[in-house]
Every structure is written in structure tokens, then in C-alpha cells.
Amino acid sequence: MELRAEEITSVISKEIADFKDDLKMESVGTVLQIGDGVARIYGLEKCKSSELLEFENGVNGIALNLEEDSVGAVLLGDSTKVREGQTVKSTGQIISVPVGDAMLGRVVNALGEPIDGKGPISTDKMRPIEYNAPNVVGRQPVKEPLQTGIKAVDSMIPIGRGQRELIIGDRQTGKTAVCLDTIINQKEFYDAGEPVYCIYVAIGQKQSTVLRVMETLEKYDAMKYTIIVSASASDPAPMQYIAPFSGCAMGEEFRDSGRHALIIYDDLWKHAVAYRQVSLLLRRPPGREAFPGDVFNLHSRLLERAAKLNDELGAGSLTALPIVETQAGDFSAYIPTNVISITDGQIYLENDLFYAGVRPAINAGLSVSRVGGNAQTKAMKKVGGTLRLTLAQYRELEAFTKFGSELDKSTQAQLNRGERLVEILKQPQYSPASVDEQVMIIYAVGQGLIDDVPVDQMKKFEKDFIDYMKQNQPDLVAKLKSEKELTSDIAEGITAACDQFKKTFLA
């Protein structure tokens, strides 16, 4: 069928109009200036903040500064490929990363691309890295425990699912070790069909450190429910800046599908430094310690995304364990105080304790959980309630005895019990303890059942006592595990079994 001349003209006019609309839609700009991983771009009239930009040669960037006559963007790839005068296209979308179960067991970069040599990741789910935190109505109180397997934490500084607990201390005091123990302890729940999926975000770490973390998790069969997001020290600052947000998006996928996830940011001091570098290159005005004025907002909008959702939204949770490294124990510096004020408590690791052989080197006086006993089983709440007080009294008396004065019997008894408590709370790395094991041994110490066991025999006593309970009192252990409550008959059973075992142990 032949078209008449006017019909042909109208078709061509429509095509031209559509083409013009397409041109308007695709916002295009030109690189004016490039240097230090930052580009200044002319054009891009319809560009949005945090929008993904496409440079030539396959390099991507993020628009961060929207100025009157130009756009300031940071580059996520090799900045040597970008030249002045090149064309830049806006994609119309906020930067997104792949998410979902296919990511588990993999090591990825800040863009979600695999860097472990195990081939591509097959997932079609994507999430924007910047996303609104759930509002107050969409949340519920934190009351479900997240077991770390570390006696000192589970008994005195309990962490609940949906909480944000800061881990703070100088370098080489065991901050990452606490987090790795927590990840390894989730294997028990994974095997029981109640998994807590873990995301470990390494910001500005050495690649060898990230490799060691991966090998440790593989050794303890924990990689199957873990994702490692790595923006190493050799990666450009923009990649280190977006890494925690990428990891958070991966965790939100589990949270929003009614499951439980744990995310570790290692560490937010390096993250703030990367953001400071990006901001100063973008000519944003520096404030305190040369950090930009919105560095508080940077961490608050990241950590607010950790939440326990209400039942209508699936009751999923995302728990955050941010790490902040202090310089010479100065936790009153800018970034530490910022993060302390955003989180629901902190675990403070102390140099002196670490070098004195108390590991994990947790300072019970400065550490706090603002969720408290709500995030503990009834049994743990009962045995752990007086622990902090006992420990604090012991520390005070210990300082007093250094004057060499005579001590009465009750003071000596307190000192003896405190020594045994400190010994029991020491725990080797990568050996998390289950809740029932923790309750039994802490109950035995707290009730003074093992005040006559020599201090240097405590570690052996603990191990042998737990083995004895599992072999000779399996029903009692199973009852404690299922009821999660220290009833009078369970307490009597533990007391009797402890007295019986102690006779053979001391003999």
C-alpha cells in the first residue's frame, strides 16, 4: 500500500520530533578539567546528585557537586583514560550494585564486581547504594539477641538484631578479631536453618589483610553465608567512599526479604579520610580537622539503615558493627565522637588490657550497650546481670591492694572471685562459645562454685567441665538450650554436676 506525500511528511516530522526528545532526554557534557580522580564537566543540565555518569573508554563516575556552570564528578575507574574535551553522558540512574543470594561466598569490589577469580556472578537484582532508612513506624524495638559467641560481649554488652554497636580501639587491639568471631559464630544458626547473612566491608585495608580474612572464614566454613566487599588501600578514594554504601545495599536485600543480616564496616575512620580526600578535591570547604561539614551526615545516613523491621514488613533485620580506629586511645577525636553519638553503644578495646594478656581486651567500664538485657535470653540475663558490677569492684580492689595493706576475709573472697572471672572471660580467637556453654560456666563462677580451683587451672577446668556436662548431663544441657531460662531445677543440676566434677578435677 502506497503512502501519500502528506502522510510521509507527517511520519518524518514525528520521527524528527521523537529524535529531538531523545536528544533532550540524554544529557551530554564535556570534560573541562581532569586531575586526581576528579573531573569538572560542562553541560549535563539534567544531571542529578549522586547520578552515575559514563565517560569515554568505559570509565564511570559519580556526580557529587552540582554547580551553576559545571558539574564536579569523581571517577570510579582508571582516571588516566579520561582526557579534557571528551564527551560525558548522564545515565539517569543513581549508582546501583548487584544484590541477592548469588553474592554469598564471593569477594567483590565497591561496584559489586567479583575480584576473587571465581567467574562472573549471575544475578539480575540491582539496588541503588543510597537508599532511605526505614522510618520510625516501619521499625520495632530491638529485642532478639545476635549471639557473638564472645563471653564478655554476650554477658555484659549484649547486641540485638537491628542494633548498631561500635567497636572502637587503637590499631592491633583485636577489633577485627571480635567481628570475625561473630561471623564464625553464625555458622551454628546457619546449620540450624536460621541464618544470619554476613557482609564484611574492608575500607582502605591492605589486600593481604582482606585475603587473610577470606582464608580464615573459609577455614571455619563461614564463607558460604558471607560477602566480602573490598575497597583496598590501592583503590581510588571514590571507591573507598562508596564501598560501605554498596555493602549496606547488599545487606538491605536480606533485611527487606524478611531475613537477618550483619554488616561490618572495617573501618569508618578510613572511610571518613577517603571522603575528606574526595571533598577537598571537589573544593568543598573544610571544617574541623579538614573534614567537610557533612561528614556526620555521611555516617548517620549509612548507619541509620540498620534496623529491625516490624512484622508487616517481614520482621527482617540488619545489624551494623562499625569499627573506628583511634589514635593513642583518643576516643574524644572528631570521627570517634561522631560515630559514638550515632550508634547504640560501643565496645571499647584497650591497649593495656591487650598487652596484659586479657583477650578480647574489652574495657567493661567504658563499654556499653544501650539495648541492654532486652537482647539477651532469660538465662544469660540472670547470670550476666551482676557481672559488670563484680568486675568493676574487682578492678577497684585490685588497685587498692597494690598499697600492700592487710585484707579482711570478705575482700580476699571478692578478689579471688574477680581473678577467676577475668580468667573465664578470656577467650582464644576463632573459638566462639554457644549460649548454653557460656551460661553454665558464668553461673559456676558467679555462684562461687569454683572459688577453690587454682587460677592457672581455670581454662582447663572450663573446657573439661563443658565436655563433662555434654557427656554426663546431655538432658540438662538440652533443656537449658531449648528453654533459654535458668530455672531452679536447671540451676540445681548445674551446681550438683559442678561439685561432682570438681572433686575428680581437683583430685
Side-chain angles (χ1 to χ4, degrees):
M1 191 174 75
E2 289 183 19
L3 289 170
R4 290 200 304 273
E6 56 268 25
E7 286 177 337
I8 292 170
T9 308
S10 71
V11 167
I12 291 171
S13 302
K14 188 175 180 300
E15 288 291 332
I16 290 169
D18 288 348
F19 180 66
K20 280 181 178 175
D21 284 344
D22 287 346
L23 276 178
K24 281 178 192 170
M25 286 296 291
E26 190 180 62
S27 185
V28 177
T30 310
V31 177
L32 288 177
Q33 193 182 1
I34 179 79
D36 294 314
V38 169
R40 197 159 293 286
I41 302 156
Y42 175 75
L44 298 179
E45 288 87 3
K46 293 186 173 63
C47 183
K48 300 193 285 280
S49 180
S50 294
E51 187 175 335
L52 186 66
L53 305 177
E54 284 179 1
F55 292 79
E56 291 179 31
N57 301 326
V59 178
N60 287 332
I62 311 174
L64 286 184
N65 270 23
L66 304 181
E67 290 162 20
E68 210 170 317
D69 54 350
S70 65
V71 171
V74 289
L75 304 181
L76 299 173
D78 184 3
S79 58
T80 57
K81 292 180 180 175
V82 179
R83 297 270 184 278
E84 287 176 18
Q86 283 184 348
T87 304
V88 187
K89 293 178 186 171
S90 64
T91 59
Q93 63 184 45
I94 302 299
I95 184 164
S96 303
V97 288
V99 296
D101 291 15
M103 306 294 287
L104 294 168
R106 302 302 298 269
V107 183
V108 296
N109 66 11
L111 296 171
E113 298 162 345
I115 53 172
D116 53 6
K118 294 180 183 173
I121 297 171
S122 56
T123 177
D124 52 357
K125 284 186 183 174
M126 300 288 283
R127 277 184 88 104
I129 65 166
E130 291 271 11
Y131 203 71
N132 286 346
N135 60 23
V136 176
V137 180
R139 298 170 185 250
Q140 62 172 302
V142 174
K143 56 183 185 292
E144 204 179 338
L146 179 106
Q147 305 295 353
T148 64
I150 300 165
K151 285 171 284 188
V153 174
D154 289 345
S155 59
M156 294 188 291
I157 318 145
I159 299 171
R161 292 183 181 181
Q163 191 177 341
R164 303 152 302 174
E165 184 79 10
L166 170 64
I167 296 169
I168 185 167
D170 282 10
R171 62 185 300 275
Q172 299 292 317
T173 47
K175 300 184 298 298
T176 305
V178 168
C179 295
L180 291 186
D181 279 352
T182 305
I183 293 176
I184 291 165
N185 192 52
Q186 304 315 313
K187 185 177 186 298
E188 177 191 340
F189 301 96
Y190 182 85
D191 294 342
E194 302 167 355
V196 176
Y197 299 101
C198 304
I199 299 112
Y200 176 82
V201 185
I203 310 153
Q205 308 280 345
K206 296 194 293 265
Q207 286 182 348
S208 59
T209 308
V210 180
L211 178 66
R212 198 159 59 241
V213 167
M214 187 190 80
E215 286 171 347
T216 303
L217 294 177
E218 278 178 345
K219 182 182 173 186
Y220 292 96
D221 198 24
M223 246 346 253
K224 60 190 177 188
Y225 53 83
T226 305
I227 305 166
I228 295 178
V229 181
S230 171
S232 66
S234 61
D235 285 332
M239 291 288 267
Q240 294 179 39
Y241 154 62
I242 66 166
F245 295 96
S246 303
C248 193
M250 293 169 197
E252 282 176 325
E253 176 64 24
F254 297 115
R255 182 198 72 191
D256 294 349
S257 57
R259 294 180 284 177
H260 302 285
L262 164 72
I263 185 159
I264 288 147
Y265 304 111
D266 193 2
D267 66 298
L268 291 189
W269 162 255
K270 290 193 181 79
H271 181 232
V273 168
Y275 185 61
R276 173 169 67 184
Q277 186 179 328
V278 166
S279 298
L280 291 174
L281 288 169
L282 286 167
R283 303 286 174 93
R284 291 184 180 179
R288 179 175 163 188
E289 291 176 30
F291 285 103
D294 63 341
V295 75
F296 181 90
N297 173 261
L298 172 79
H299 287 153
S300 58
R301 72 174 192 265
L302 172 70
L303 293 168
E304 274 298 315
R305 289 160 72 177
K308 169 79 174 154
L309 299 182
N310 64 24
D311 294 338
E312 289 84 65
L313 294 174
S317 73
L318 177 63
T319 311
L321 295 182
I323 295 176
V324 167
E325 185 182 293
T326 53
Q327 316 289 319
D330 181 19
F331 54 90
S332 62
Y334 188 32
I335 301 303
T337 47
N338 272 358
V339 184
I340 285 170
S341 63
I342 296 163
T343 48
D344 311 308
Q346 68 273 349
I347 295 170
Y348 181 68
L349 300 171
E350 200 172 21
N351 267 337
D352 296 348
L353 288 173
F354 185 82
Y355 296 132
V358 179
R359 295 175 192 181
I362 295 170
N363 181 320
L366 289 173
S367 301
V368 65
S369 169
R370 297 190 187 99
V371 172
N374 288 350
Q376 280 176 314
T377 61
K378 285 182 178 174
M380 183 59 90
K381 200 171 179 178
K382 199 167 183 180
V383 298
T386 57
L387 264 189
R388 192 190 286 270
L389 187 64
T390 310
L391 212 54
Q393 286 173 337
Y394 164 68
R395 295 266 181 240
E396 209 170 293
L397 285 172
E398 188 190 28
F400 183 69
T401 54
K402 285 176 182 164
F403 297 118
S405 52
E406 290 290 314
L407 300 173
D408 59 88
K409 272 191 175 175
S410 68
T411 309
Q412 281 177 336
Q414 262 186 315
L415 278 167
N416 286 341
R417 189 163 304 171
E419 281 177 347
R420 281 154 185 77
L421 184 58
V422 168
E423 206 59 37
I424 282 300
L425 291 179
K426 289 180 186 175
Q427 201 168 337
Q429 206 173 338
Y430 313 136
S431 56
S434 65
V435 184
D436 42 296
E437 291 173 11
Q438 294 183 41
V439 168
M440 288 188 292
I441 194 66
I442 292 171
Y443 176 79
V445 178
Q447 294 299 309
L449 303 177
I450 52 178
D451 282 357
D452 50 348
V453 175
V455 176
D456 59 350
Q457 294 281 304
M458 288 301 288
K459 295 314 288 179
K460 187 178 189 315
F461 178 89
E462 179 187 0
K463 184 181 178 300
D464 294 354
F465 173 59
I466 298 295
D467 292 343
Y468 172 84
M469 291 297 287
K470 286 179 178 173
Q471 285 165 13
N472 299 298
Q473 301 283 342
D475 296 342
L476 189 71
V477 176
K479 193 178 179 186
L480 176 61
K481 196 165 194 164
S482 61
E483 290 187 14
K484 296 178 180 175
E485 201 168 339
L486 196 66
T487 54
S488 54
D489 55 327
I490 293 175
E492 284 164 15
I494 295 172
T495 305
C498 186
D499 288 340
Q500 186 65 39
F501 171 71
K502 195 169 65 173
K503 286 173 189 169
T504 57
F505 183 82
L506 292 174

